[in-house]
Amino acid sequence: MVLTAVRSLGSARRPRTQQELEDFEQELVDQFALALAGAGVSDDFVASDRSVVFQFLQFLGRPVWTAQTDDADRFLVAQRKRGLARSTVYQKAVRLATFFDFLIARYQGDIHAVTGHVITQPIDEFNRPPSIDHGVLRIPPAEDEVDALFTAWRDALPETRKFLPAARDYFAASLWRRVGLRISESAMLDIRDWRPDLGEHGKLHVRFGKGSRGHGPKTRLVPAINSVDALVEWWLTDVRHQFGDDWADPDAPLLPSERRDRDTGQCLRAGANALRSGFGDAVQLWLPAWNGRLTPHVLRHFCASSLYARGMDLKAIQELLGHEWLSTTTRYIHVHDEHVERAWTAANDRVATRLFDRKE
């Protein structure tokens, strides 16, 4: 993407013509795109943000600095009437809010000097759509249900007609269950990404973690806790070499497909859809009560909840899952009622002990 050249807005002056006003408005949008590019946001994401801004300006029919909350109200209503998905409308509102935050933070004084208007934020607490995840609880199965699923799945592997893809899907799902990898992260692992030399248990180098707002992949090292070290050793020692001769190639996919590259003859990478389908088949067979409800992402919630119930602190779980914000991690924690009751009892016991010690 090529950004247009923009002049400095630091020496604002009153425009003399309508064309100068339009040029000034365009420069504000270009400065916003330039700031996003400076933050390392991808070109596609910058283009998407600019597109939403221009959609709003076209709908507004007036200069951007005249926009008010009722204009945003009408724009968002119009988007819904077009039949757009809730997630699409939500993203448009978020991107508009970011654009106006940018104008207010950087150019509020210049805009007032040039136009005489005081720019305001048209997306507020009243018209901002709730997050698409707002009010949606992805509560995972209980520990014994997940144990039953994976035990039955593991025991059935030797008799499975297509052992290799079944073992691969079991291995991938075990990573989601035990250390909360995203399905896309696990699919993009290469053999070199297993680092047994790092830490007490070894670590997985996740090179394609989920980035925020188009900043590209976010990397992290995931410790092979919760028996993942033994799981990886089983996979690499007993199974992976059966897919093909590339088992010793550090650039080969850790989770291969049975299909081969026509030019090299090497294994192709298993896609997220194949892994998701294999997991869905296993749930349908061995945990049918959760068929259609237990997804790879819900299993990630199970991982967070299970580790928290076993005493891992929230900050450590946040780092393990690769969340940018701790508040995101807290939405992944689902504990049974007795967890709260035990915490309440323990707190009362501590109070009682302190009172008793004072009396002594």
Side-chain angles (χ1 to χ4, degrees):
M1 184 188 70
V2 179
L3 295 176
T4 61
V6 294
R7 68 172 175 85
S8 172
L9 298 178
S11 55
R13 62 180 179 82
R14 291 275 184 172
R16 298 178 180 177
T17 66
Q18 180 63 29
Q19 185 60 51
E20 286 182 339
L21 271 177
E22 293 176 1
D23 291 344
F24 178 62
E25 184 177 53
Q26 179 63 54
E27 286 165 2
L28 293 172
V29 178
D30 289 340
Q31 290 286 359
F32 175 59
L34 188 63
L36 293 178
V41 175
S42 67
D43 288 353
D44 288 344
F45 207 90
V46 174
S48 180
D49 272 21
R50 282 167 54 96
S51 175
V52 172
V53 170
F54 285 129
Q55 288 175 35
F56 178 69
L57 293 180
Q58 184 178 12
F59 177 88
L60 183 64
R62 307 191 311 272
V64 63
W65 45 82
T66 67
Q68 301 295 319
T69 52
D70 59 330
D71 297 313
D73 295 344
R74 293 185 297 105
F75 175 74
L76 295 175
V77 168
Q79 302 307 299
R80 291 191 178 88
K81 286 184 176 179
R82 288 175 54 194
L84 298 181
R86 285 181 54 205
S87 59
T88 302
V89 178
Y90 168 75
Q91 288 297 330
K92 287 190 176 186
V94 168
R95 291 173 176 182
L96 278 180
T98 302
F99 173 62
F100 279 93
D101 282 344
F102 168 81
L103 295 182
I104 292 169
R106 287 201 180 184
Y107 297 114
Q108 188 175 50
D110 289 323
I111 291 171
H112 183 263
V114 170
T115 70
H117 285 268
V118 176
I119 192 167
T120 60
Q121 172 61 268
I123 305 294
D124 61 16
E125 59 182 308
F126 299 104
N127 62 16
R128 183 190 299 268
S131 169
I132 53 176
D133 291 329
H134 181 75
V136 177
L137 289 178
R138 293 187 175 94
I139 301 177
E143 187 95 28
D144 57 347
E145 292 178 295
V146 174
D147 284 343
L149 165 63
F150 278 86
T151 298
W153 194 357
R154 182 192 62 222
D155 292 345
L157 285 178
E159 307 301 324
T160 303
R161 184 175 65 86
K162 301 187 71 172
F163 168 75
L164 290 181
R168 177 202 63 207
D169 298 342
Y170 170 83
F171 172 65
S174 296
L175 294 179
W176 312 334
R177 170 198 182 186
R178 296 185 179 278
V179 288
L181 290 192
R182 298 179 177 92
I183 187 171
S184 58
E185 294 171 345
S186 51
M188 293 303 296
L189 289 171
D190 288 341
I191 290 177
R192 70 164 67 247
D193 293 325
W194 167 235
R195 295 296 304 274
D197 56 312
L198 297 180
E200 180 180 352
H201 301 280
K203 295 184 179 182
L204 288 166
H205 183 200
V206 175
R207 293 177 292 113
F208 292 90
K210 182 181 179 182
S212 60
R213 284 191 55 81
H215 282 76
K218 181 180 179 181
T219 64
R220 71 183 188 280
L221 289 170
V222 175
I225 59 173
N226 205 10
S227 301
V228 166
D229 49 355
L231 182 73
V232 175
E233 182 179 0
W234 163 76
W235 173 251
L236 291 178
T237 302
D238 296 343
V239 184
R240 177 60 181 84
H241 66 278
Q242 298 184 52
F243 277 89
D245 295 337
D246 63 346
W247 62 271
D249 180 359
D251 294 323
L254 185 65
L255 298 174
S257 168
E258 288 186 297
R259 297 180 178 180
R260 302 300 182 95
D261 185 281
R262 292 182 179 180
D263 297 326
T264 66
Q266 302 297 315
C267 294
L268 295 173
R269 188 181 305 277
N273 286 338
L275 300 177
R276 184 181 293 106
S277 177
F279 177 63
D281 291 343
V283 172
Q284 185 176 17
L285 281 174
W286 294 296
L287 196 60
W290 279 83
N291 185 34
R293 295 189 295 149
L294 181 54
T295 65
H297 193 71
V298 171
L299 205 57
R300 185 168 150 88
H301 281 244
F302 169 81
C303 172
S305 303
S306 174
L307 294 176
Y308 182 76
R310 290 158 63 180
M312 182 178 283
D313 66 77
L314 281 174
K315 183 63 178 176
I317 297 174
Q318 176 192 5
E319 294 179 5
L320 183 72
L321 299 184
H323 287 154
E324 183 174 2
W325 303 104
L326 189 61
S327 59
T328 303
T329 307
T330 60
R331 294 200 298 270
Y332 278 60
I333 304 299
H334 312 281
V335 293
H336 297 290
D337 291 343
E338 62 265 23
H339 177 85
V340 177
E341 294 170 355
R342 288 196 300 269
W344 169 255
T345 301
N348 283 337
D349 288 345
R350 288 194 296 271
V351 172
T353 300
R354 287 198 298 268
L355 292 174
F356 180 79
D357 290 342
R358 287 177 184 175
K359 291 180 180 180
E360 290 295 324

